[in-house]
Amino acid sequence: MEVGFLGLGIMGKAMCMNLLRNGFKVTVWNRTLSKCEELVEHGASIGETPAAVMKKCKYTIAMLSDPSAALAVAFDKDGVLEQMCTGKGYIDMSTVDADTSKKISEVISKKGGYFLEAPVSGSKKPAEDGQLVILAAGDKVLFDEAIPAFNVMGKKSFFLGQIGNGAKMKLVVNMIMGSMMNAFSEGLVLADRSGLSQQTLLDVLELGAIATPMFKMKGPAMIQNNFTPAFPLKHQQKDMRLALALGDENAVSMPVAAAANEEFKKARSMGFGDHDFSAVYETVKTYGHSK
Ligand SMILES: NC(=O)C1=CN([C@@H]2O[C@H](COP(=O)(O)OP(=O)(O)OC[C@H]3O[C@@H](n4cnc5c(N)ncnc54)[C@H](OP(=O)(O)O)[C@@H]3O)[C@@H](O)[C@H]2O)C=CC1
Ligand SMILES: O=CCCC(=O)O
């Protein structure tokens, strides 16, 4: 199966490598073209523009940073829509809001193409291991046709119905995750400032009712102040912002998420945008009261 792949950041690169490893022929494009080189060493071809990739491939996948990137790659000159036509499928796996997906979807269907939004749960390591959870919505025929690709990138694919439902599900999940990361950071700082061992806190958490893979995976690095990015903090803050907008639309009060968003904004202003989202711990450490 021949597929196009647009966007070779942390996630796109890992997902694309899985496609190549599993026998897919892949044509790649990335805004910073040099990032294509490693994929080419593993058998990928390069497309000069998103339009060139679309022209060559029946199915094209995108994994881009945010709504403005998703819209630019679709609508700008040499973008996806220039070559969209009957029978072609476009699958945007970026985390965006429902409105962004709908804008892209509407134009694609006018041109006779198929569109699926398919954001993912799971980070760098699950992407490398083909263990993502895929939250798809849109064209069911395209979903069924994409299953062979989804099966090598993920461990489970959900079809959630109409366009926008995938984006919304992803934002709800990441809103919970961002709030949890803030509570976790406060707990780690509180343990330390009150004379407790942070490692013992991690051991206690792991054995109790609130044990979660996130605490186990991120905790040891956080207490070593290691924030090597798996999920960049700027993207988590974007997801909090989009989830809060979804809350506005639906009149859902979300004071916990709103406070968590403020912490992520503070962390961005402190220069942690490109660090892992667990670097929000630094804001709690810096602004938390010390005796
Ligand atoms: N990292 C993670 O753990 C997870 C991330 N996600 C989501 O997946 C998406 C990608 O995340 P991730 O790979 O971590 O992000 P990265 O920041 O590593 O990569 C972002 C990608 O988007 C491209 N890009 C950004 N702006 C533009 C633009 N204006 N035009 C064209 N291309 C652009 C970048 O190109 P360039 O290389 O030129 O900068 C790069 O390929 C995001 O929506 C994120 O929220 C979802 C699940 C987990
Ligand atoms: O959007 C990023 C999600 C990261 C994760 O699920 O661990």
Side-chain angles (χ1 to χ4, degrees):
M1 189 170 173
E2 176 140 17
V3 296
F5 206 107
L6 312 175
L8 302 172
I10 293 172
M11 295 296 285
K13 177 185 155 190
M15 292 157 74
C16 200
M17 285 294 268
N18 268 321
L19 291 170
L20 288 165
R21 243 182 252 127
N22 286 278
F24 287 78
K25 284 188 181 162
V26 188
T27 300
V28 296
W29 172 86
N30 192 67
R31 179 181 61 175
T32 308
L33 274 175
S34 57
K35 289 193 192 167
C36 296
E37 282 161 19
E38 196 181 338
L39 281 301
V40 169
E41 280 166 26
H42 288 83
S45 310
I46 297 187
E48 293 291 315
T49 61
V53 174
M54 282 298 298
K55 187 174 181 183
K56 188 170 170 196
C57 304
K58 183 172 180 195
Y59 304 105
T60 296
I61 296 170
M63 192 52 164
L64 302 158
S65 51
D66 54 22
S68 75
L71 291 170
V73 167
F75 286 91
D76 282 4
K77 185 174 176 305
D78 296 326
V80 163
L81 292 169
E82 281 185 14
Q83 289 295 329
M84 177 51 73
C85 59
T86 306
K88 296 229 180 210
Y90 185 54
I91 304 170
D92 193 347
M93 303 187 76
S94 323
T95 304
V96 297
D97 55 322
D99 279 355
T100 299
S101 280
K102 282 178 195 156
K103 278 183 194 145
I104 297 171
S105 173
E106 276 165 21
V107 182
I108 288 180
S109 35
K110 276 189 194 139
K111 287 177 170 260
Y114 304 96
F115 180 67
L116 202 62
E117 58 176 3
V120 299
S121 191
S123 192
K124 184 171 185 256
K125 180 82 168 62
E128 288 167 350
D129 296 343
Q131 294 292 304
L132 296 168
V133 178
I134 294 167
L135 306 171
D139 196 294
K140 179 70 164 61
V141 172
L142 182 54
F143 176 78
D144 292 337
E145 289 172 357
I147 286 293
F150 287 166
N151 283 349
V152 305
M153 293 188 284
K155 62 180 175 187
K156 171 87 182 165
S157 298
F158 289 87
F159 182 75
L160 300 169
Q162 66 183 13
I163 278 292
N165 287 352
K168 289 176 193 170
M169 181 65 83
K170 173 63 186 166
L171 293 176
V172 171
V173 171
N174 272 27
M175 182 273 286
I176 297 170
M177 188 176 76
S179 299
M180 279 172 66
M181 179 53 83
N182 270 268
F184 184 45
S185 296
E186 288 178 6
L188 285 171
V189 173
L190 181 61
D192 186 48
R193 297 274 166 85
S194 51
L196 298 172
S197 152
Q198 291 178 312
Q199 182 56 56
T200 307
L201 171 64
L202 295 183
D203 296 341
V204 172
L205 286 174
E206 199 180 328
L207 294 169
I210 60 167
T212 161
M214 184 175 86
F215 296 166
K216 192 173 175 182
M217 203 162 41
K218 302 283 184 186
M222 287 167 72
I223 63 181
Q224 299 296 320
N225 302 314
N226 175 354
F227 308 111
T228 306
F231 180 35
L233 187 141
K234 63 185 175 191
H235 295 331
Q236 171 69 80
Q237 196 267 312
K238 170 256 303 177
D239 296 347
M240 297 307 284
R241 172 168 50 84
L242 298 177
L244 287 166
L246 186 60
D248 276 359
E249 268 171 57
N250 291 284
V252 177
S253 169
M254 302 197 301
V256 175
N261 185 43
E262 289 305 314
E263 290 303 303
F264 286 118
K265 279 160 61 181
K266 202 185 289 171
R268 279 182 63 192
S269 78
M270 289 165 67
F272 289 107
D274 290 319
H275 291 61
D276 191 68
F277 78 116
S278 52
V280 74
Y281 173 63
E282 284 294 323
T283 68
V284 184
K285 260 196 336 195
T286 305
Y287 292 100
H289 295 290
S290 53
K291 283 190 239 172

